[in-house]
Amino acid sequence: MLGLETSCDETSAAVLAGDHGILGHVILSQDVHAIYGGVVPELAARAHLQKIDAVVAEALKQAGVELRDVDVFGVTAGPGLIGALLVGVCWMKAVAYGLGRPWVAVHHMEAHLFAASLEQADAQPPFVALLVSGGHTLLLHATEWGAYRLLGQTRDDAAGEAFDKVGKLLGLPYPGGPAIELLAEEGDASRHRLPRPMLRRNQRPEDVDYYDFSFSGLKTAVAELVRRLEAAGDLDDERANVAAAFQDAAVDVLATKTMRAVEQTGCSRVVLGGGVSANLALRGEISHRLETVGGFGNQEPRVFFASSRLSLDNGAMVARAARFRFDRGDVARLDGSASASLQFPGLVTTRS
Ligand code: KG4
Ligand code: ZN
């Protein structure tokens, strides 16, 4: 299985044998965006086009195989930046067609859901999943692979987007997430009290906002705080404290809603996925809160997450998701294409 990821600013390819064996894996992060403080879609597409051949060639070389040895091709078909997605999809369709092999269209967030299982074989449904990336924030109950119940999602900014925007407000480099995490280590979160949007302790499971998230208000609160500190000439001294307070607020909301899902579903296994799940404070908080939960049925409470490399965008998770879809007969057609807003396969939105 060859997995290819080009939905945003990572060009990545992986060769996967069976369910878990990554034979070759290359992740190339584009640096063309740094000076703009965010991903420029047109530049991302061009950079993918320039690098895709070399990235695939290197992954194949690591695996010690040739392109013609690949049985099935899997590629992220959405959601993401359409120009960037098209580079990967068109490349893969051409190669699959040329070699007479099937290709599989992969949903980027379903791929994130599979990432932990590449390294931890036990990361299998049923589980509650928190998927937190630059474009999405989803809280799911996965009863089996391919059957996902949507519990909550963001009403505005994604969690990663909030980290990126706050990073910008604090004058940190893009992407904001890792930079905030690093700075927050030196800070004291209790120095500033920031709001926990859409989180009230008296919410009940039947309330529409019980599981949903909102991060734009938090970002605005940080903007306001930064403006006040700057006017008073205190921003340099307070930057780490603001980073810590923001991270604390974001993690509190994410962890609290995840724990609500654990309690309501009776499912005490949690899978974290997406770039923000690389955050150690988030991992630590959810692990810590899970320790206070007694197991349900015969399940021990447990949290699964991938290594940092596989939490961020990568081709291996795409190959893994493609393998699952292929085994279910989900082979794409030659006229299939990329979609910036591809629907999550198997996701049902009913609450009960
Ligand atoms: O999954 P991902 O690599 O790409 C998308 O699918 O969007 O996630 C990227 C996002 C960015 O917003 C980045 O700031 C955030 O993940 N991120 C982090 C950390 N590492 C990456 N957020 C918080 N803490 C981190 N350590
Ligand atoms: Zn992603």
Side-chain angles (χ1 to χ4, degrees):
M1 179 73 65
L2 180 75
L4 190 58
E5 160 61 40
T6 67
S7 69
C8 193
D9 58 343
E10 264 86 32
T11 316
S12 179
V15 180
L16 196 72
D19 281 356
H20 311 295
I22 302 172
L23 303 183
H25 195 191
V26 177
I27 305 172
L28 186 75
S29 290
Q30 302 174 351
D31 51 14
V32 284
H33 311 287
I35 54 166
Y36 301 101
V39 178
V40 184
E42 175 68 21
L43 294 182
R46 289 175 190 216
H48 287 306
L49 203 51
Q50 277 169 358
K51 296 290 175 359
I52 194 164
D53 286 324
V55 166
V56 173
E58 177 60 25
L60 291 167
K61 191 172 153 204
Q62 285 177 8
V65 297
E66 306 267 331
L67 203 51
R68 60 174 168 274
D69 298 327
V70 174
D71 297 317
V72 183
F73 292 89
V75 60
T76 303
L81 304 170
I82 192 63
L85 290 163
L86 280 168
V87 173
V89 168
C90 291
W91 189 97
M92 197 128 256
K93 283 207 301 184
V95 170
Y97 179 67
L99 293 171
R101 304 278 151 70
W103 76 282
V104 179
V106 170
H107 189 281
H108 184 76
M109 298 314 287
E110 187 176 43
H112 274 304
L113 198 58
F114 273 101
S117 75
L118 282 164
E119 294 170 320
Q120 289 171 284
D122 291 354
Q124 304 290 332
F127 54 66
V128 163
L130 177 69
L131 296 179
V132 271
S133 70
H136 295 84
T137 306
L138 300 168
L139 186 59
L140 314 174
H141 180 209
T143 47
E144 56 185 273
W145 290 121
Y148 316 119
R149 190 158 60 91
L150 179 67
L151 300 173
Q153 60 188 323
T154 183
R155 304 268 181 96
D156 39 59
D157 293 352
E161 192 178 352
F163 272 90
D164 294 337
K165 286 179 175 172
V166 168
K168 215 169 191 175
L169 288 169
L170 292 174
L172 302 175
Y174 178 85
I180 287 177
E181 179 171 10
L182 202 63
L183 188 60
E185 278 172 25
E186 302 160 23
D188 176 359
S190 68
R191 295 293 296 273
H192 302 284
R193 177 77 195 158
L194 288 169
R196 270 69 174 151
M198 220 159 271
L199 182 65
R200 295 183 318 280
R201 304 292 158 185
N202 61 358
Q203 280 164 315
R204 295 147 53 98
E206 51 278 12
D207 295 345
V208 284
D209 52 4
Y210 186 70
Y211 290 123
D212 275 352
F213 303 94
S214 165
F215 290 103
S216 78
L218 177 56
K219 173 206 66 194
T220 307
V222 175
E224 184 57 27
L225 175 60
V226 166
R227 201 185 52 74
R228 271 191 283 120
L229 291 169
E230 202 159 26
D234 292 335
L235 185 59
D236 283 344
D237 290 342
E238 290 296 322
R239 196 173 266 115
N241 295 336
V242 176
F246 163 74
Q247 180 172 272
D248 208 49
V251 166
D252 188 18
V253 176
L254 291 167
T256 302
K257 303 227 168 187
T258 304
M259 293 313 294
R260 285 178 175 178
V262 165
E263 277 153 29
Q264 294 302 318
T265 59
C267 184
S268 55
R269 291 152 61 87
V270 176
V271 166
L272 305 181
V276 182
S277 75
N279 186 284
L280 297 181
L282 177 65
R283 294 175 172 200
E285 188 62 25
I286 290 181
S287 307
H288 174 69
R289 293 195 195 189
L290 262 180
E291 279 168 18
T292 64
V293 173
F296 295 100
N298 51 11
Q299 269 190 351
E300 277 297 304
R302 201 162 156 202
V303 60
F304 299 92
F305 35 72
S307 60
S308 176
R309 181 173 155 86
L310 293 187
S311 295
L312 298 161
D313 287 352
N314 67 85
M317 67 181 192
V318 177
R320 177 65 190 85
R323 160 151 225 108
F324 165 71
R325 288 283 152 203
F326 179 75
D327 288 345
R328 303 231 326 193
D330 293 346
V331 173
R333 290 158 45 122
L334 192 60
D335 62 357
S337 189
S339 163
S341 55
L342 191 68
Q343 274 197 354
F344 201 133
L347 188 69
V348 291
T349 52
T350 52
R351 291 211 158 195
S352 51

